[in-house]
């Protein structure tokens, strides 16, 4: 399918993981793609897309990346705000500067990206922000990240409300546990990985491409009536808080 033929798309955080997967899928579906990231080496590994080195926490750099996109391809139809990371530290003992750094990147980065992208977009365009399941579920040692991701979810609704007048839709995806360099420390086959996976109905971490598919749906014409909402994409993780009653309902035969 070439659902993005004749469309121009920008992806922040496009040098790695989920952003790279979204970029690759956009290229495969016919879009003209600009990947934006601070990681020049990672950008160099991506194929079929233009790249811009820029920091999403710097307003002028984000504005410049959007301007380069419009200069090169004449328009901007779809934007995916994926760049993000976390510095860990507990509320009491963590470093205050790490807290500020994480919120600045995760929340203000999405705000700045949305602001400059929307200014360049025509009616019929769409933005997808990557939040996290941690918008709904706390992450021990990462209150900055979880709070900022919750902020991204609400920011997305607010942006959808305000950008309605411009005919721009804005939606969020809340990924669960996805196998990328960001989560490599959790996914090393050790006890923490097992603990995570027993809570996921799919019983495995997701692949970045399993976020790319829903992201392209939300920014595409099939989602023309979807606006201001969040899509949890977590293999059924959020629904597993209740104890597993299968042994009660289906006792092992004697
Ligand atoms: N992997 C998961 O399980 C998971 C789950 C929920 C949400 N997320 C979110 O998905 C997004 C992508 O994560 P990922 O797992 O693909 O991680 P990743 O580390 O593979 O990719 C993140 C990318 O963002 C870029 N980046 C970081 N700071 C930047 C900045 N200031 N300006 C521009 N680019 C910057 C990095 O260079 C990197 O290429 C993040 O927002 C993350 O919080 C990931």
């Amino acid at each position: 399918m070439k659902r993005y033929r004749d469309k121009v798309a920008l992806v922040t955080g496009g040098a790695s993981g989920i952003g790279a997967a979204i970029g690759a899928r956009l290229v495969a579906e016919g879009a003209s793609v600009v990947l934006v990231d601070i990681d020049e080496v990672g950008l160099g590994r991506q194929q079929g897309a233009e790249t811009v080195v820029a920091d999403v926490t710097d307003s002028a750099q984000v504005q410049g990346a959007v301007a380069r996109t419009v200069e090169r391809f004449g328009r901007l139809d779809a934007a995916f705000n994926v760049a993000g990371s976390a510095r860990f530290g507990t509320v009491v003992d963590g470093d205050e500067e790490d807290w500020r750094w994480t919120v600045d990147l995760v929340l203000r980065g999405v705000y700045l990206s949305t602001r400059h992208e929307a200014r360049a977009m025509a009616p019929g365009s769409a933005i997808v922000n990557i939040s996290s399941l941690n918008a709904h579920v706390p992450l021990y040692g990462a209150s900055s990240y979880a709070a900022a991701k919750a902020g991204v979810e609400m920011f997305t609704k607010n942006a959808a409300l305000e950008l309605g007048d411009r005919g721009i839709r804005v939606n969020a995806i809340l990924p669960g546990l996805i196998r990328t360099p960001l989560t490599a420390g959790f996914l090393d086959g050790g006890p923490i990985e097992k603990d995570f996976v027993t809570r996921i109905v799919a019983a495995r971490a997701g692949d970045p491409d399993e976020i790319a598919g829903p992201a392209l749906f939300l920014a595409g014409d099939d989602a023309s009536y979807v606006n201001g909402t969040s899509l949890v994409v977590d293999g059924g993780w959020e629904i597993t808080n209740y104890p597993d009653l299968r042994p009660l309902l289906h006792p092992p035969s004697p």
Side-chain angles (χ1 to χ4, degrees), residues 72 78 84 162 172 206:
R72 174 72 178 84
E162 294 182 16

Side-chain angles (χ1 to χ4, degrees), residues 13 15-18 37-39 54-56 82-84 105 130-132 145 149 175-178 180-183:
S16 174
I18 292 169
D37 207 292
I38 45 169
D39 176 3
D55 181 340
V56 296
V82 189
L105 169 57
I130 301 298
S131 172
S132 167
Y145 179 82
K149 288 296 191 186
L177 181 64
I178 309 300
T180 71
L182 188 70
T183 52

Side-chain angles (χ1 to χ4, degrees), residues 101-147:
W101 183 91
T102 303
V103 174
D104 196 49
L105 169 57
V106 169
L107 182 53
R108 196 165 145 278
V110 166
Y111 152 67
L112 291 174
S113 302
T114 302
R115 173 182 172 84
H116 292 299
E117 291 154 1
R119 286 175 171 180
M121 284 175 155
S125 306
I127 296 172
V128 174
N129 294 326
I130 301 298
S131 172
S132 167
L133 187 61
N134 294 125
H136 295 178
V137 180
L139 177 60
Y140 191 93
S143 62
S144 54
Y145 179 82

Side-chain angles (χ1 to χ4, degrees), residues 5 12 41 60 83 88 97 114 130 143 157 165 192:
R5 193 196 299 272
T12 76
V41 176
F88 277 65
E97 171 53 24
T114 302
I130 301 298
S143 62
K157 294 179 199 297
D165 288 347
I192 291 187

Side-chain angles (χ1 to χ4, degrees), residues 71-84:
E71 272 160 34
R72 174 72 178 84
F73 295 117
R75 51 190 287 147
L76 177 61
D77 302 295
F80 301 82
N81 297 324
V82 189

